[in-house]
Amino acid sequence: MRRSQVTTVSLLAVLALGACTNAKDVLEPSAITPPASSAQSLPATQGTSTAAASPTTTAPAPSTAPATAAASATPATQTAVLARTRLQVAPIVGASVDAAAPLTAELQTRAKQRGLTLVGSTDQTATHVLKGYFSTMSEGKDTTVIYVWDIYDPSGNRLHRINGQQKAAAVGSGAGWPTVAPATMQAIADQTIDQFAAWLGSGRAG
């Protein structure tokens, strides 16, 4: 009888020890908490507002460096940056030939006004490449042009994104690109070059 009681107590002790071991495996923080570096490995999302897409961080004053760089860029420095820039515009995706014509013409005009140089598709001296993607949306008597511009370096690395939309009264009849007035595309070109120049002059262009 005593040997049976000892055996029972021993079995209970083994079971209790095993339960404790299993509980430790489940509750171990390293077993259920992902490494801190995993969140940093996610690619950053680029858009019109880069700051809005950036992950929140608790590090002390991490945003002071970009702000300082932007603040230190004097008008003379900004002008020099624009003067050194040679912008290549890739073929427009999504827009009709008729709609793209006033857009590209106004890009050239506005770039010249801002001190930027546009170069041809075969020019090997380009410092930035601008790729545009366009679509339209008809709403009653209005047509909205939706656009996205990606800015790349000569190696093909995306540096920045500009996007937006331009709504205007439709011209003619029907829907889509035939109803988009040249003035609408010219307005998009002006906004694009202005935003590109502002990005370059902000000190965040690298």
Side-chain angles (χ1 to χ4, degrees):
M1 184 66 178
R2 178 173 299 177
R3 179 179 300 175
S4 175
Q5 290 176 343
V6 171
T7 302
T8 300
V9 171
S10 300
L11 288 175
L12 290 175
V14 171
L15 291 174
L17 180 59
C20 292
T21 302
N22 291 335
K24 181 179 179 181
D25 291 341
V26 173
L27 298 177
E28 180 65 31
S30 62
I32 60 176
T33 303
S37 60
S38 62
Q40 299 174 357
S41 64
L42 296 176
T45 303
Q46 291 190 336
T48 305
S49 176
T50 306
S54 300
T56 303
T57 177
T58 56
S63 61
T64 55
T68 302
S72 62
T74 63
T77 301
Q78 294 175 1
T79 300
V81 170
L82 297 180
R84 291 196 305 267
T85 300
R86 298 177 64 80
L87 180 61
Q88 184 182 95
V89 180
I92 306 300
V93 177
S96 68
V97 174
D98 290 340
L103 173 77
T104 53
E106 185 63 19
L107 285 172
Q108 180 72 48
T109 300
R110 193 66 167 185
K112 185 176 181 180
Q113 293 173 350
R114 297 304 301 266
L116 294 166
T117 300
L118 262 61
V119 299
S121 59
T122 60
D123 196 302
Q124 300 297 315
T125 66
T127 59
H128 298 79
V129 179
L130 188 65
K131 295 184 178 181
Y133 309 88
F134 284 69
S135 63
T136 62
M137 180 174 59
S138 298
E139 301 173 291
K141 297 182 179 180
D142 297 329
T143 299
T144 300
V145 178
I146 302 166
Y147 60 92
V148 175
W149 296 98
D150 282 333
I151 302 168
Y152 295 85
D153 66 13
S155 299
N157 300 306
R158 193 176 73 176
L159 305 175
H160 189 58
R161 169 169 285 184
I162 297 170
N163 55 41
Q165 56 185 13
Q166 188 75 20
K167 184 177 181 179
V171 297
S173 59
W177 289 111
T179 66
V180 177
T184 300
M185 301 302 284
Q186 290 168 345
I188 292 174
D190 289 343
Q191 294 167 15
T192 299
I193 292 298
D194 288 348
Q195 291 184 51
F196 175 70
W199 171 70
L200 281 177
S202 69
R204 297 192 299 269

